[in-house]
Amino acid sequence: MKKPTIFNIQKFSTHDGPGIRTTIFFKGCPIRCEWCHNPESQAYAPEIMLNKYGKEETIGKDYSLRELVKKIQADQIFYDQSGGGVTFSGGEVMAQDMDYVVELAKECQRLGISVAIDTCGVAPTENYRQILPYADLFLYDLKFMDSHNHKLYTGVGNQLVLENLRFLSQQQAEINLRLILLDDVNAAKVDAEAIIEWLAKEKIHVSEISLLPYHDFGRDKYERLKRVCTQNFKKPSEEQVEALQKVYQDAGYQVTIGG
Ligand code: SF4
């Protein structure tokens, strides 16, 4: 079983699922979203990044299963009191060594800790099949219904993303669909209508939709990694986001704004 590289362990997180959570950020992602605000999550291996004071720091540390379980278990009292748990995020947790990820989720389940999986959907369907018995919730990103645009902005088409979403829904997984919103790119009414139409056609059941307006908080990280940030996106206005919220609500979905 290969130890994964973890680049952040965020305690008392309230944006990655219900209640108070610990979010584990696995390092390594198979796609390259142009708007990514965690560029240090993309490469699988540890790397050097300058900190805010200009000093070099190694990002990413390998954790044994036992070490990670200990970190997660430390805040179990808060999960129990708030209905929270642990969220495996990234990078892309579903594109890691699945023997490790499944064992970790299994151990959390044995300890009575609820597990959420935050995923971009780009991983073998078999990986989702393996994690399914141990995951209580999937935070599932859907970026574009149009595969050409998906490829243009992330480097890969959306076929696997849609296939895995269909699979999880068929298996009656609890799904929170998370939609990044970029003005002039995927935040128009027609984009929302295309998603609603597809969900209805495919009979996909999602318990909630989260609208996530783009922000550029991660720009400086590219420089600190000695990379060039090419992001040139606009955040949609509040009115635009609220109008989209209404479109989804009118279609019968429970919708929140923000993670
Ligand atoms: S899926 Fe997430 S971590 Fe991967 S490139 Fe896109 S935004 Fe970044």
Side-chain angles (χ1 to χ4, degrees):
M1 201 157 47
K2 188 178 171 308
K3 282 188 197 173
T5 304
I6 305 296
F7 75 92
N8 191 11
I9 297 177
Q10 196 173 320
K11 288 156 116 17
F12 299 103
S13 161
T14 52
H15 296 292
D16 301 311
I20 294 173
R21 314 190 69 81
T22 295
T23 304
I24 310 290
F25 291 88
F26 289 75
K27 192 161 162 32
C29 184
I31 66 174
R32 293 290 179 268
C33 305
E34 276 195 28
W35 54 83
C36 185
H37 62 269
N38 281 331
E40 77 279 30
S41 74
Q42 294 176 344
Y44 283 82
E47 62 192 313
I48 301 291
M49 182 166 150
L50 298 179
N51 67 18
K52 293 202 169 142
Y53 310 102
K55 253 187 104 186
E56 287 191 348
E57 262 180 11
T58 301
I59 302 294
K61 174 181 175 315
D62 294 357
Y63 278 84
S64 71
L65 200 64
R66 187 189 287 235
E67 283 173 312
L68 210 44
V69 169
K70 214 169 146 198
K71 289 263 180 200
I72 294 167
Q73 211 184 356
D75 287 338
Q76 187 161 8
I77 186 164
F78 299 107
Y79 316 146
D80 292 348
Q81 283 171 1
S82 67
V86 62
T87 300
F88 300 167
S89 184
E92 178 50 61
V93 61
M94 298 303 293
Q96 304 283 332
D97 175 1
M98 284 313 285
D99 289 344
Y100 183 104
V101 176
V102 169
E103 276 309 310
L104 183 64
K106 214 187 259 187
E107 185 57 13
C108 290
Q109 188 183 68
R110 195 186 65 77
L111 293 166
I113 298 172
S114 175
V115 175
I117 303 287
D118 180 10
T119 180
C120 70
V122 183
T125 305
E126 179 53 29
N127 294 4
Y128 292 91
R129 190 189 303 280
Q130 286 179 36
I131 200 74
L132 202 52
Y134 313 106
D136 300 295
L137 173 66
F138 288 85
L139 307 171
Y140 200 100
D141 298 347
L142 183 57
K143 306 169 201 310
F144 297 95
M145 283 316 300
D146 180 82
S147 195
H148 172 78
N149 277 336
H150 202 283
K151 187 162 171 54
L152 191 67
Y153 288 103
T154 73
V156 300
N158 68 0
Q159 198 194 347
L160 196 51
V161 179
L162 300 183
E163 248 176 62
N164 287 329
L165 181 53
R166 203 183 284 120
F167 169 77
L168 288 176
S169 175
Q170 282 165 356
Q171 301 298 313
Q172 275 137 36
E174 180 93 9
I175 302 166
N176 173 353
L177 199 62
R178 292 162 59 102
L179 313 176
I180 173 93
L181 299 177
L182 307 128
D183 191 23
D184 288 337
V185 176
N186 68 353
K189 192 173 173 216
V190 286
D191 298 306
E193 286 168 346
I195 290 176
I196 290 167
E197 193 186 321
W198 185 80
L199 292 174
K201 181 168 74 81
E202 298 288 335
K203 299 188 173 53
I204 306 282
H205 176 75
V206 302
S207 46
E208 190 179 349
I209 290 181
S210 298
L211 303 179
L212 311 175
Y214 165 75
H215 63 73
D216 65 358
F217 303 156
R219 285 190 78 93
D220 71 303
K221 290 186 181 176
Y222 286 83
E223 281 168 32
R224 292 197 274 125
L225 282 164
K226 303 208 165 105
R227 285 172 56 181
V228 177
C229 180
T230 54
Q231 286 179 21
N232 190 19
F233 298 109
K234 281 188 293 170
K235 186 180 170 172
S237 68
E238 262 177 47
E239 295 73 41
Q240 229 178 318
V241 177
E242 281 166 12
L244 288 177
Q245 181 180 34
K246 184 154 184 333
V247 173
Y248 286 108
Q249 283 171 336
D250 288 349
Y253 292 101
Q254 187 183 323
V255 189
T256 54
I257 297 175

